[in-house]
Amino acid sequence: MEWETVIGLEVHAQLSTNSKIFSGSSIAYGAEPNTQANLVDLGMPGVLPVLNKKAVEMAIRLGLAIDAQIAPKSIFARKNYFYPDLPKGYQISQYELPVVANGHLDIELEDGGAKRIGITRAHLEEDAGKSLHEDFHGKTGIDLNRAGTPLLEIVSEPDMRSAKEAVAYLKKLHVLVRYLGVCDGNMQEGSFRCDANVSVRRPGQPFGTRAEIKNLNSFKFIERAINYEVGRQIDLLESGGKVVQETRLYDPDRDETRSMRGKEDANDYRYFPDPDLLPVAITAEDIAAVRATLPELPHVRMQRFMDAFGLSHYDAELLTQNREVAGYFEAVASGCNDAKLAANWVIGEVSKALADNGLEIAASPVSSDALVELLKRIQDNTLSNKIARDVFAAMWDGEGSADEVIGRKGLKQITDTSAIEAVIDEIIANNPKQVEEYRSGKDKLFGFFVGQAMKASKGKANPAALNDILKKKLEG
């Protein structure tokens, strides 16, 4: 019999607030160790936590975007456990009454179909500190800068049946939290990380015993970790063993998971309402105020790009992965009045240059207005696509606007048919053997003549005019 994979995901999204969830300490990344933890974060006697209102608003924001229920009353609880980087001996989280419950995300499957993934809850909590094991000669260093950083833990239903479905869900959620502005999504810095609960069962049977793979922070590692864990559990069961409920870590160098500790149940944490924090009351007016600030959501924008601009599903999906990129494209498409040309350039040259230089679109040296100016020179036949790419590179390097680069480098496209004819006549005269072979049926030689003509014109001959004239000359 076949085995069925069952996956549920717990995503920890670090909220993009300026300060921590219960104190005024900064959450800026990269500060010197233990310079951003105050007395509240350290849990010193006599201090009281004060809830960050912005964190609650961000939780509501996500809840509305996933069509979830927003709790009118929400309670914070103490989750008790010991760990060296947990200074209070407990974590302030939510248990019985989270801010957000019963939402969903729809993902696209490889076969083109769609699947709805339930989201059980999204609750607010504080992050722990960080244990550092390098450079301490057998000891562990503790950095408490992260302690108290606001997190939104987004818990899915066990609705995913493969590692690819899990990655599709995570990518969809990653795009969404960035669109909403609730999380920067930086996986390398740990702002968006995932715990995967994985089990296997025979189809139609009850859920099997799950293992939790902790702290996965790349889509590639998530897929590999889940696939390894599924194989491990199947091999274990088929050899007569039993899967134990435990927490495991993924080792990307060995491409395997290994046991970290036994997995606790909720009662092991001895949850109880935090006596220092009042229940959070969320009114209909609060929800309406947040709803009024929601941006156009990614899937809505993608559909609009397909309907309004005539883009393919592929192009529209690529362009709406990032809210700022989508806005940049829309400005370019409107400016040059050619959405397909704009899409090709934003997906192609612009995205490549950004990736090569490690930049976000907001830091692009070529603004949307500057790119519009360049694309208009393609449209009016001043530039070929090939020369336009050279002009773009010069603009990226700060050499001026499109028109300034074209004028200074003499890159204007040759559209004068008589000038193109003169170039072609010379090519034909200098290559009689190839002309004879072409006329005897070797059509592939046409590319040779095009290449020679473009080389002779230094790439400035209008391609359409060149092809047309060359074909007539060769067939004449």
Side-chain angles (χ1 to χ4, degrees):
M1 289 179 63
E2 293 294 320
W3 292 95
E4 181 179 57
T5 301
V6 178
I7 304 164
L9 299 177
E10 301 170 11
V11 174
H12 293 85
Q14 179 178 315
L15 297 178
S16 298
T17 56
N18 294 322
S19 58
K20 295 185 178 180
I21 189 168
F22 299 118
S23 83
S25 296
S26 170
I27 62 169
Y29 181 80
E32 288 296 310
N34 298 308
T35 58
Q36 294 182 167
N38 67 16
L39 296 178
V40 175
D41 306 323
L42 299 176
M44 291 298 184
V47 299
L48 289 173
V50 177
L51 178 60
N52 187 330
K53 182 181 178 182
K54 201 72 177 176
V56 178
E57 291 174 349
M58 288 181 173
I60 296 171
R61 199 171 172 82
L62 176 81
L64 293 173
I66 60 172
D67 197 24
Q69 298 169 3
I70 310 299
K73 179 183 177 183
S74 184
I75 292 175
F76 283 96
R78 291 186 180 182
K79 180 180 180 181
N80 296 275
Y81 64 97
F82 171 78
Y83 216 68
D85 53 23
L86 190 69
K88 296 193 290 284
Y90 61 86
Q91 177 190 33
I92 302 177
S93 182
Q94 294 187 303
Y95 181 52
E96 292 172 323
L97 292 173
V99 175
V100 174
N102 301 323
H104 62 84
L105 267 186
D106 295 332
I107 63 170
E108 291 187 6
L109 304 177
E110 286 189 309
D111 62 5
K115 182 173 183 177
R116 176 157 291 184
I117 307 298
I119 295 178
T120 313
R121 57 192 280 139
H123 61 262
L124 289 164
E125 63 184 19
E126 62 179 346
D127 206 349
K130 187 175 182 180
S131 297
L132 305 170
H133 307 291
E134 302 83 13
D135 303 323
F136 288 97
H137 308 291
K139 298 180 181 179
T140 295
I142 302 296
D143 179 9
L144 296 175
N145 280 350
R146 204 169 67 183
T149 295
L151 299 179
L152 189 62
E153 182 172 345
I154 305 158
V155 183
S156 82
E157 291 287 327
D159 289 343
M160 287 154 276
R161 295 293 176 266
S162 71
K164 288 191 180 298
E165 285 187 12
V167 171
Y169 165 81
L170 283 170
K171 286 183 174 179
K172 190 80 175 278
L173 185 59
H174 187 253
V175 169
L176 181 61
V177 295
R178 294 177 68 197
Y179 252 79
L180 295 171
V182 302
C183 174
D184 65 16
N186 192 317
M187 300 179 82
Q188 289 70 35
E189 294 178 4
S191 298
F192 187 90
R193 57 190 192 269
C194 167
D195 301 337
N197 292 287
V198 180
S199 65
V200 296
R201 65 176 178 180
R202 298 295 188 186
Q205 295 297 307
F207 290 144
T209 303
R210 62 188 170 89
E212 181 184 43
I213 313 170
K214 293 287 286 185
N215 292 330
L216 298 165
N217 66 348
S218 93
F219 298 124
K220 180 175 74 172
F221 290 165
I222 288 162
E223 184 169 1
R224 286 167 55 183
I226 291 173
N227 282 332
Y228 174 86
E229 182 59 22
V230 168
R232 183 190 74 86
Q233 291 187 21
I234 290 173
D235 289 345
L236 188 60
L237 292 169
E238 290 187 342
S239 63
K242 287 186 177 182
V243 176
V244 298
Q245 184 169 310
E246 62 181 347
T247 298
R248 300 180 69 85
L249 288 177
Y250 175 66
D251 184 339
D253 295 326
R254 297 185 176 183
D255 190 25
E256 65 181 21
T257 64
R258 62 174 184 270
S259 182
M260 180 183 177
R261 61 177 182 264
K263 175 63 180 170
E264 298 86 353
D265 288 315
N267 57 359
D268 294 318
Y269 291 117
R270 305 184 311 284
Y271 282 97
F272 63 87
D274 193 304
D276 292 335
L277 287 163
L278 291 170
V280 180
I282 301 173
T283 67
E285 290 76 16
D286 294 329
I287 296 171
V290 173
R291 190 187 299 276
T293 68
L294 288 179
E296 184 179 30
L297 297 180
H299 67 282
V300 176
R301 197 169 202 176
M302 184 177 83
Q303 189 61 52
R304 179 168 64 82
F305 279 8
M306 293 167 65
D307 295 340
F309 294 123
L311 296 183
S312 67
H313 181 280
Y314 178 79
D315 285 353
E317 185 174 38
L318 282 179
L319 289 166
T320 52
Q321 292 296 298
N322 179 290
R323 184 177 171 185
E324 288 73 27
V325 170
Y328 183 98
F329 157 75
E330 200 156 2
V332 175
S334 299
C336 72
N337 202 30
D338 186 336
K340 184 58 181 173
L341 180 64
N344 288 343
W345 273 81
V346 174
I347 292 170
E349 295 302 311
V350 175
S351 295
K352 181 179 183 300
L354 291 171
D356 289 346
N357 291 275
L359 297 177
E360 295 291 332
I361 192 73
S364 170
V366 179
S367 68
S368 57
D369 289 342
L371 185 60
V372 167
E373 181 184 326
L374 175 62
L375 298 190
K376 284 183 175 178
R377 296 300 161 262
I378 297 174
Q379 292 172 313
D380 65 14
N381 290 324
T382 298
L383 297 176
S384 66
N385 267 303
K386 181 180 182 301
I387 298 297
R389 286 193 287 272
D390 296 335
V391 174
F392 176 82
M395 293 166 65
W396 186 273
D397 291 337
E399 296 181 27
S401 68
D403 287 342
E404 288 169 345
V405 173
I406 292 166
R408 186 166 59 253
K409 296 191 174 186
L411 297 175
K412 187 174 181 180
Q413 184 171 249
I414 300 170
T415 55
D416 179 359
T417 55
S418 61
I420 296 174
E421 280 190 24
V423 171
I424 290 173
D425 287 341
E426 185 175 351
I427 300 296
I428 289 175
N430 291 339
N431 296 277
K433 181 180 177 183
Q434 286 83 355
V435 171
E436 184 179 343
E437 289 177 357
Y438 174 82
R439 288 173 175 168
S440 65
K442 288 191 176 180
D443 294 345
K444 291 183 179 178
L445 279 171
F446 189 79
F448 163 79
F449 291 106
V450 171
Q452 292 295 309
M454 291 303 288
K455 183 178 178 182
S457 69
K458 297 181 180 178
K460 292 190 285 185
N462 178 278
L466 186 148
N467 284 358
D468 185 53
I469 295 170
L470 182 60
K471 193 164 188 177
K472 289 177 180 175
K473 292 272 186 182
L474 287 172
E475 291 178 355

